[in-house]
Amino acid sequence: MENTALCYRQFGEPESVLQQETAIKAPLQPGDLRVQMLMTPVNASDLIPITGAYRHRITLPAIAGYEGVGRVIAAPDSAASLLGQRVLPLRGEGTWQQYVDCPASMAIPVPDTVATPLAARAFINPMAAWLMLSLYPVQGKQVLLTAAGSDCGILLGQWALRQGATAVYGIHRSAIHGERLRGMGITPVAQQDIDSICAIAATSDLAFDATGGELAQTILGAMDKRAAFICYGLLSGQPFTLQRHFPPMHWFHIRNHFEALNPQAWQAAFREIWPLLAASQYSDARLLPFTDWQSALAHYRQAGRTCKPVLAFE
């Protein structure tokens, strides 16, 4: 079986080092499913590893991509019921390829009621939001978000309100996100409005930060020592310095938490995530052919975009 994949043989900017390659797919290993991919999105979590940020745990050459949805075309007897079904083929191979093999116990069945473009984006951001809110309860607390217009940010905000947060403030860079956030019940705050950010940070109990850099430094400097600051990304590409008077700082990396879930807990987590996702507003998907992956990367880089680029294989 021929398989076309987006591979990288050295670390660097994805636009420069990614290559489309076709090769014969290796035989399916015992206990694994083979999934014919339907759609796979482009996320920061897909692109950052290609740059070499996590080179200590990546063996080259590698196939890019961490999530997506496909249809099972081969399965062991123990998972024969999944044949022909849509699943998320997770925690196996890179997903930016036509055929993905993954452990049958880690494949997540997709409910019939969930559309394929939404299912393709049901792992990285929903799982990150769900885990963070499980680790850092928000009931009765005021919450501040950075990168609030991102897919993870809008889920964090909506789900925090569902879980009893008294208020959620969302910092955004582009004006296009303001009304969108307000429609979700999240109070928008322009990233340029430093005075408002400091005033809100001073009364917030929790901050979920995806940017790092100067904005994180500003928020930390304004927050009460009894508050908590959770850093789950560095989209600015810039670090920040911790000071003794800052509130408690927590680093969140999704991999450190989901890898601790056994197959039963892994499946149970998605049984909670599916109804949450179905009841939430989420970014629209912009579908692009898999062969047009360069355009998908260019679309992802556009400032103020409200659609997520998704590579479609059919």
Side-chain angles (χ1 to χ4, degrees), residues 180-267:
R180 181 167 171 250
L181 292 170
R182 198 181 302 278
M184 300 174 186
I186 302 166
T187 303
V189 186
Q191 189 165 316
Q192 305 92 318
D193 189 353
I194 300 301
D195 289 344
S196 292
I197 290 172
C198 289
I200 294 165
T203 59
S204 292
D205 303 292
L206 284 168
F208 293 95
D209 174 56
T211 61
E214 187 176 342
L215 179 59
Q217 196 88 35
T218 297
I219 293 169
L220 277 163
M223 291 185 79
D224 189 278
K225 289 189 297 183
R226 293 165 294 184
F229 184 95
I230 298 94
C231 177
Y232 69 98
L234 289 173
L235 292 176
S236 68
Q238 301 296 319
F240 51 92
T241 304
L242 294 175
Q243 304 293 335
R244 184 173 298 176
H245 66 277
F246 284 172
M249 170 80 185
H250 306 272
W251 299 97
F252 174 85
H253 195 290
I254 185 173
R255 181 180 292 272
N256 295 339
H257 297 279
F258 76 64
E259 287 186 343
L261 298 177
N262 61 30
Q264 293 75 27
W266 179 248
Q267 298 287 342

Side-chain angles (χ1 to χ4, degrees), residues 23-264:
I24 299 300
K25 188 75 175 175
L28 187 64
Q29 296 300 302
D32 282 1
L33 301 176
R34 178 155 292 173
V35 178
Q36 184 172 5
M37 295 302 290
L38 299 171
M39 295 181 188
T40 182
V42 177
N43 288 309
S45 57
D46 302 308
L47 301 179
I48 292 172
I50 300 171
T51 67
Y54 307 119
R55 65 181 68 215
H56 61 283
R57 65 168 183 248
I58 295 174
T59 301
L60 298 179
I63 295 173
Y66 285 101
E67 68 177 329
V69 62
R71 199 171 299 279
V72 178
I73 60 171
D77 290 344
S78 60
S81 62
L82 292 176
L83 279 169
Q85 301 299 306
R86 291 181 305 157
V87 300
L88 311 184
L90 304 177
R91 298 172 68 175
E93 302 177 329
T95 55
W96 289 8
Q97 58 180 323
Q98 287 179 294
Y99 300 97
V100 173
D101 295 349
C102 79
S105 62
M106 295 298 178
I108 303 298
V110 177
D112 292 340
T113 54
V114 177
T116 297
L118 179 59
R121 298 173 291 145
F123 171 37
I124 294 293
N125 291 303
M127 175 65 82
W130 182 83
L131 281 169
M132 281 191 280
L133 292 172
S134 300
L135 291 165
Y136 310 106
V138 297
Q139 186 172 9
K141 298 177 180 178
Q142 178 176 303
V143 175
L144 177 61
L145 309 172
T146 67
S150 68
D151 279 356
C152 191
I154 61 178
L155 293 180
L156 270 171
Q158 292 174 89
W159 295 356
L161 289 167
R162 286 174 62 102
Q163 293 184 16
T166 57
V168 175
Y169 293 88
I171 300 172
H172 60 91
R173 285 191 306 169
S174 177
I176 197 170
H177 292 302
E179 285 308 308
R180 181 167 171 250
L181 292 170
R182 198 181 302 278
M184 300 174 186
I186 302 166
T187 303
V189 186
Q191 189 165 316
Q192 305 92 318
D193 189 353
I194 300 301
D195 289 344
S196 292
I197 290 172
C198 289
I200 294 165
T203 59
S204 292
D205 303 292
L206 284 168
F208 293 95
D209 174 56
T211 61
E214 187 176 342
L215 179 59
Q217 196 88 35
T218 297
I219 293 169
L220 277 163
M223 291 185 79
D224 189 278
K225 289 189 297 183
R226 293 165 294 184
F229 184 95
I230 298 94
C231 177
Y232 69 98
L234 289 173
L235 292 176
S236 68
Q238 301 296 319
F240 51 92
T241 304
L242 294 175
Q243 304 293 335
R244 184 173 298 176
H245 66 277
F246 284 172
M249 170 80 185
H250 306 272
W251 299 97
F252 174 85
H253 195 290
I254 185 173
R255 181 180 292 272
N256 295 339
H257 297 279
F258 76 64
E259 287 186 343
L261 298 177
N262 61 30
Q264 293 75 27

